[in-house]
Amino acid sequence: MMSSRIVQFSWLFFLLILVGCGEEAKTIFTESDVKIIPRPSEVQFKKGAFRFTKDTKIVVANDQTAVTSVLLDRFSKAAAWDLEVVTTAPKNNFVQLSLDPAMEDESYTLKVSEDKVVITAKGYVGFLYGLETVRQLLPVSIESNQLVANVNWDIPTVEITDSPRFKWRGFMMDVSRHFFDKEYILATIDQLAFLKMNTLHLHLVDDQGWRIEIKKYPKLTEVGAFRVDQEDKHWDARFTPELGEEATYGGFYTQEDIKEIVAYATSKGINVVPEIELPAHVMSAIASYPELSCFQKPIMVPSGGVWPITEIYCPGKESTFEFLENVLTEVMELFPSQYIHVGGDEATKTNWKICPDCKRRVKEEGLANVEELQSYFIRRMERFISSNGRTLIGWDEILEGGLAPGAAVMSWRGFKGGIEASEAGHDVVMTPTDHSYFDYYQGSRESEPMAWGGYLPLSKVYAFDPVVEGMTPEQAKHVLGGQANMWTEFIPDNAQAQYMTYPRLAAMAEAVWTTKENKNWADFSQRVDSLFDRYDLMGINYAKSSYQVTTDVSVDKENGTLSIALKNEFPQADIRYSLGGSDITEASEKYTSPIVVNKTTEIKAQVFKDGKPVGALFQKTINYHKAVGKPVTYLNKYHDSYQGGKEIGMVNVLRGSMNFHDGQWQGWLGDHMELVIDMETPTEMEKITVGTLENQGSGIYFPIRVEVLLSADGKTFKSAGTVERGFAANIKSELKDFVIDFEKQSARYIKVISTNLSTPPTGGKAWMFIDEVIVE
């Protein structure tokens, strides 16, 4: 009996050992582990997991093998597995691509069970998107380009039904202002496919560089692709090169390069739209062939900013159109894109008005003016492009003077052009500056690389909707989709290009893929965290600007206190802060509610993630001066577009930054500022400071004179001091305090008059921006 029990115990122990040596348990997932960007149309989460192993098979139809590279390449690098592609499904442990001809082109379904993964689609692009979704379900380590040990390659059991909201989901790269080599373009294509974007718009021609080889016109790249190297100077401070100076900065794509780019993009489901600018932004072409301009004046390729752009193509000469038709013929042979972009923006028609050839063209064609001559130019190019079976698309200026019937519009100056075009029955791609220009700042200027003047944080990109409220259903049908644009005047290299592109491209991807009902900023902000981890492994220099802390300050007049609210783009961000100048650590006070202060205070704040600081440190001294919260009467009020803190904006202690869109600046357009602060009781003072901003590129100038006057009764004022500053050219964005010191005296009323520059060098009216009047 005893021996029998020993045998039973031994057998049981042996079984336990076998179980212990079996496969490790699969990962237990929760719904929060599904962090796909862009967010799919429908996701049904189920308990369980599918595990990839070195024996997992990829099952495809014979003509779908190429699409599997997105997974094969990742597993090859991260796991050192060469997964086998087969045409017949085994019993289990496989990923199958299943054809359904009835589905839409870019739609797919994904069904993950514990023993298989099935992606169903109409064809190549749908399978590609399904596989990219599987990639995002896999552990972040799948993005590693080196072998990763001790990872279970599990994905949750889910059922996903997905399709895009818009058919144009684009990204424009300006490769003219700064040249980016073929390898960077190919890497960008990978990232577009990862986010299910389907259009790469290449801005191949501009004043500062012609970037595509044209066999019939070799000087376009021999001359037009290179400029005098002034990369050490601000874009708008570069001198006009002398004829004959050595031009060394630049580059171009050979036709073989273009073929490779287009083929690779096609393999990633991406259409490449070429842009060949006309009639303006073409000084690189005119430098190569001066006869293309009205007066055939020899010029150099400019090294930096040009404004206004007067050296443009001459539409009075037949030879101009012969040239453009020959160029576009070669371009269309290289790019299979249905759409050919012709630019059409910012043409200053000064030369057209006096050119004999243009005058003759206007008369012969019965045109009213040079605006209609632009329309003639675009219509003629549209006829040529459509005769080749393609569709012309251009910036919204092509609407001026009437638009050719078959043309499409890319609306960049807000939504207005797109609304007008859709009303007239034209297809539209929305790409308004406020939501789509990735050359704009995405965080505080003090902690960001130099950029163009606007402000476009991640959350604002995410809020983009190409269909404008109030559009009719018929108009909405003409909205093809949306696009982000990365202009590169201030983006000289790959690292900065990545910084300006990512993660804003992810927000744009969701804005144009996901339905309005499925979009949710709080949810996106959780998913984008996982994307950052992937970018780290990909080696992408993405921006962490969305982690920056900003503030709102309110004044409690009764208690004489300031309430400082700390904010971040991400809801529920872990913000730590300190008062009095001490360093920020994980042990610092966690922000939970507005901070109340009643004296001058230095505040520091920073977002923490996983116990570590992320994003830039917020650091500001809140100057609790004598006029805080006091009544202000505006004798000449600020502009409606820049109201700062409105009635208390000049005395709310919150200073503006170099981002003039930060909500702290009050602006006056072509006018002076005049206001009176009531200190409520006679108050001793000896110094008054007026905070100002200059950004001449955006039309904002320092005041030329600031005067402070004091009064006891609010009726009779006496000057306490004046500061004058003449106009000086300034290429930088700059903050400046105008300080007026005087002998200590008592007064109840303070009048401040700030005089605006009467006429800026560019003409028109000057903006004057002021953020605070500090009384000490």
Side-chain angles (χ1 to χ4, degrees):
M1 192 64 131
M2 180 66 70
S3 61
S4 175
R5 287 177 181 171
I6 291 172
V7 170
Q8 289 176 359
F9 176 80
S10 300
W11 178 244
L12 179 60
F13 182 75
F14 181 68
L15 286 175
L16 288 171
I17 291 173
L18 286 177
V19 171
C21 293
E23 185 179 274
E24 186 180 337
K26 291 178 180 176
T27 308
I28 298 174
F29 291 101
T30 64
E31 288 188 59
S32 63
D33 293 315
V34 180
K35 296 183 176 181
I36 302 163
I37 297 176
R39 185 177 182 178
S41 305
E42 296 179 25
V43 178
Q44 295 181 37
F45 179 82
K46 300 182 177 182
K47 291 183 179 180
F50 172 85
R51 172 162 295 173
F52 283 87
T53 71
K54 60 182 175 53
D55 297 319
T56 301
K57 303 291 190 292
I58 312 294
V59 185
V60 300
N62 288 329
D63 60 346
Q64 299 297 332
T65 302
V67 76
T68 63
S69 63
V70 63
L71 272 189
L72 298 182
D73 178 64
R74 289 291 90 224
F75 276 115
S76 174
K77 291 177 178 176
W81 294 345
D82 291 323
L83 299 185
E84 187 179 359
V85 179
V86 299
T87 56
T88 303
K91 290 183 178 180
N92 53 40
N93 193 15
F94 62 89
V95 177
Q96 183 169 26
L97 307 186
S98 177
L99 286 164
D100 182 352
M103 295 180 71
E104 296 294 325
D105 286 341
E106 295 185 303
S107 301
Y108 70 94
T109 63
L110 171 65
K111 294 185 178 181
V112 182
S113 63
E114 294 195 336
D115 58 354
K116 63 183 177 182
V117 177
V118 178
I119 299 170
T120 304
K122 183 177 183 177
Y124 189 95
V125 175
F127 291 134
L128 178 73
Y129 292 163
L131 289 166
E132 290 287 7
T133 294
V134 171
R135 175 181 175 179
Q136 290 197 35
L137 289 172
L138 280 160
V140 168
S141 303
I142 196 67
E143 308 303 339
S144 175
N145 287 322
Q146 297 179 340
L147 179 64
V148 183
N150 303 318
V151 174
N152 292 324
W153 302 106
D154 296 348
I155 63 174
T157 51
V158 292
E159 291 190 7
I160 292 175
T161 302
D162 205 6
S163 60
R165 182 184 175 198
F166 294 104
K167 61 182 180 181
W168 187 300
R169 306 181 302 282
F171 178 62
M172 188 282 295
M173 274 197 69
D174 168 16
V175 296
S176 175
R177 271 54 174 269
H178 282 95
F179 179 67
F180 295 86
D181 61 25
K182 178 183 66 178
E183 285 67 31
Y184 186 79
I185 302 298
L186 298 177
T188 300
I189 288 169
D190 284 335
Q191 291 304 317
L192 291 172
F194 179 70
L195 294 167
K196 303 182 178 73
M197 304 285 273
N198 68 355
T199 303
L200 173 62
H201 168 183
L202 286 180
H203 184 78
L204 293 163
V205 174
D206 216 297
D207 295 309
Q208 295 81 10
W210 183 288
R211 302 299 181 206
I212 179 172
E213 178 189 22
I214 301 297
K215 301 283 191 184
K216 193 173 182 66
Y217 301 103
K219 287 185 180 179
L220 288 173
T221 46
E222 291 171 4
V223 176
F226 297 92
R227 62 181 186 240
V228 175
D229 189 343
Q230 299 185 46
E231 294 302 299
D232 59 332
K233 299 178 178 65
H234 186 283
W235 182 258
D236 290 323
R238 298 179 182 181
F239 56 80
T240 301
E242 297 291 334
L243 289 174
E245 276 194 77
E246 185 180 12
T248 57
Y249 177 86
F252 64 93
Y253 308 109
T254 67
Q255 293 201 358
E256 290 306 309
D257 289 335
I258 294 294
K259 290 175 184 176
E260 183 179 345
I261 289 168
V262 169
Y264 189 71
T266 301
S267 76
K268 298 293 184 178
I270 293 166
N271 177 47
V272 185
V273 176
E275 181 180 356
I276 306 297
E277 275 273 13
L278 57 89
H281 288 285
V282 293
M283 292 176 70
S284 57
I286 292 172
S288 307
Y289 297 97
E291 61 269 24
L292 295 169
S293 65
C294 287
F295 300 110
Q296 305 182 39
K297 176 185 174 183
I299 62 171
M300 292 284 285
V301 176
S303 296
V306 178
W307 192 260
I309 303 169
T310 56
E311 288 292 348
I312 64 179
Y313 288 142
C314 177
K317 302 171 186 171
E318 279 301 303
S319 57
T320 299
F321 294 100
E322 179 184 352
F323 166 82
L324 287 169
E325 288 177 4
N326 288 336
V327 167
L328 288 172
T329 295
E330 290 194 35
V331 168
M332 287 186 285
E333 288 171 354
L334 294 168
F335 294 91
S337 169
Q338 179 61 42
Y339 292 90
I340 304 296
H341 204 299
V342 299
D345 62 316
E346 298 181 331
T348 303
K349 304 171 182 69
T350 305
N351 289 349
W352 288 7
K353 292 177 181 178
I354 58 176
C355 169
D357 293 312
C358 292
K359 287 181 177 180
R360 183 176 63 252
R361 180 78 73 185
V362 167
K363 183 177 180 181
E364 289 174 353
E365 297 295 332
L367 306 175
N369 48 41
V370 290
E371 278 65 40
E372 289 194 8
L373 184 56
Q374 161 123 348
S375 177
Y376 166 83
F377 202 128
I378 298 298
R379 285 174 182 267
R380 184 158 173 178
M381 298 316 303
E382 193 279 333
R383 287 197 298 272
F384 174 74
I385 288 171
S386 63
S387 71
N388 283 273
R390 310 296 184 90
T391 301
L392 178 146
I393 189 168
W395 305 111
D396 53 54
E397 284 96 332
I398 68 174
L399 289 163
E400 295 169 6
L403 185 58
V409 170
M410 196 166 272
S411 186
W412 73 278
R413 296 178 298 179
F415 293 96
K416 184 173 180 288
I419 294 170
E420 291 177 3
S422 62
E423 282 178 338
H426 294 278
D427 285 344
V428 174
V429 175
M430 291 294 194
T431 180
T433 57
D434 285 353
H435 292 279
S436 305
Y437 270 41
F438 284 9
D439 54 327
Y440 283 11
Y441 285 95
Q442 55 194 313
S444 66
R445 292 185 183 220
E446 292 82 356
S447 56
E448 293 286 311
M450 182 175 289
W452 206 248
Y455 178 56
L456 182 58
L458 186 67
S459 56
K460 193 169 184 180
V461 178
Y462 190 80
F464 173 50
D465 189 341
V467 174
V468 182
E469 188 175 346
M471 274 187 165
T472 66
E474 190 59 34
Q475 280 181 278
K477 289 179 183 177
H478 284 290
V479 178
L480 300 176
Q483 175 173 294
N485 297 326
M486 190 185 73
W487 302 102
T488 61
E489 289 94 333
F490 297 105
I491 303 175
D493 54 38
N494 294 357
Q496 194 163 329
Q498 288 183 341
Y499 186 90
M500 301 302 284
T501 303
Y502 311 106
R504 288 190 288 190
L505 189 65
M508 177 59 68
E510 189 149 317
V512 293
W513 176 280
T514 304
T515 61
K516 287 177 68 174
E517 298 74 23
N518 264 352
K519 282 178 63 182
N520 182 292
W521 169 248
D523 177 64
F524 177 82
S525 68
Q526 296 295 317
R527 286 179 284 123
V528 82
D529 252 358
S530 175
L531 183 64
F532 291 160
D533 294 336
R534 290 179 186 269
Y535 284 162
D536 285 333
L537 285 170
M538 292 174 181
I540 289 178
N541 182 41
Y542 64 96
K544 300 179 179 68
S545 315
S546 49
Y547 287 117
Q548 290 179 8
V549 176
T550 58
T551 59
D552 275 340
V553 176
S554 58
V555 180
D556 186 330
K557 293 182 180 180
E558 290 186 13
N559 297 321
T561 59
L562 302 174
S563 178
I564 305 169
L566 303 181
K567 302 186 302 179
N568 175 254
E569 281 201 86
F570 296 147
Q572 286 81 50
D574 181 6
I575 300 175
R576 306 284 168 152
Y577 74 94
S578 71
L579 301 176
S582 59
D583 291 338
I584 299 289
T585 68
E586 188 184 4
S588 297
E589 189 79 16
K590 183 172 183 176
Y591 175 78
T592 56
S593 61
I595 305 160
V596 178
V597 300
N598 59 1
K599 61 181 180 180
T600 296
T601 305
E602 182 181 2
I603 182 169
K604 293 182 180 180
Q606 193 158 24
V607 171
F608 275 69
K609 176 187 173 185
D610 300 328
K612 296 179 180 179
V614 289
L617 173 70
F618 172 87
Q619 185 173 2
K620 186 167 287 191
T621 297
I622 305 298
N623 188 351
Y624 193 92
H625 58 88
K626 293 183 176 184
V628 170
K630 300 301 183 184
V632 180
T633 300
Y634 287 87
L635 304 179
N636 198 26
K637 201 171 184 181
Y638 43 79
H639 195 279
D640 286 344
S641 298
Y642 295 96
Q643 302 183 52
K646 297 186 178 178
E647 288 75 13
I648 66 164
M650 286 295 165
V651 289
N652 67 355
V653 310
L654 195 58
R655 303 299 302 275
S657 68
M658 286 190 289
N659 169 26
F660 59 86
H661 293 290
D662 65 10
Q664 308 307 328
W665 293 100
Q666 295 186 344
W668 284 260
L669 180 60
D671 209 347
H672 72 284
M673 178 198 82
E674 186 171 0
L675 56 80
V676 175
I677 302 171
D678 181 1
M679 300 298 289
E680 299 181 311
T681 61
T683 305
E684 280 196 338
M685 62 192 76
E686 59 184 352
K687 177 181 176 182
I688 292 177
T689 302
V690 177
T692 69
L693 167 71
E694 184 163 77
N695 184 332
Q696 293 184 7
S698 299
I700 304 167
Y701 297 84
F702 286 139
I704 57 172
R705 186 174 188 271
V706 175
E707 183 176 14
V708 170
L709 304 97
L710 304 178
S711 171
D713 59 6
K715 297 177 181 179
T716 303
F717 285 86
K718 182 180 179 181
S719 180
T722 301
V723 177
E724 295 189 358
R725 183 188 187 278
F727 166 77
N730 184 7
I731 61 173
K732 299 182 294 183
S733 182
E734 186 177 348
L735 301 172
K736 179 178 176 60
D737 284 343
F738 283 72
V739 180
I740 298 175
D741 293 299
F742 46 88
E743 287 188 10
K744 184 180 291 186
Q745 55 188 287
S746 179
R748 174 173 172 176
Y749 298 95
I750 304 167
K751 180 183 286 188
V752 182
I753 302 173
S754 184
T755 305
N756 201 351
L757 182 69
S758 56
T759 305
T762 55
K765 297 178 180 180
W767 280 103
M768 179 176 64
F769 276 36
I770 299 175
D771 66 344
E772 186 85 359
V773 177
I774 301 167
V775 179
E776 297 172 289

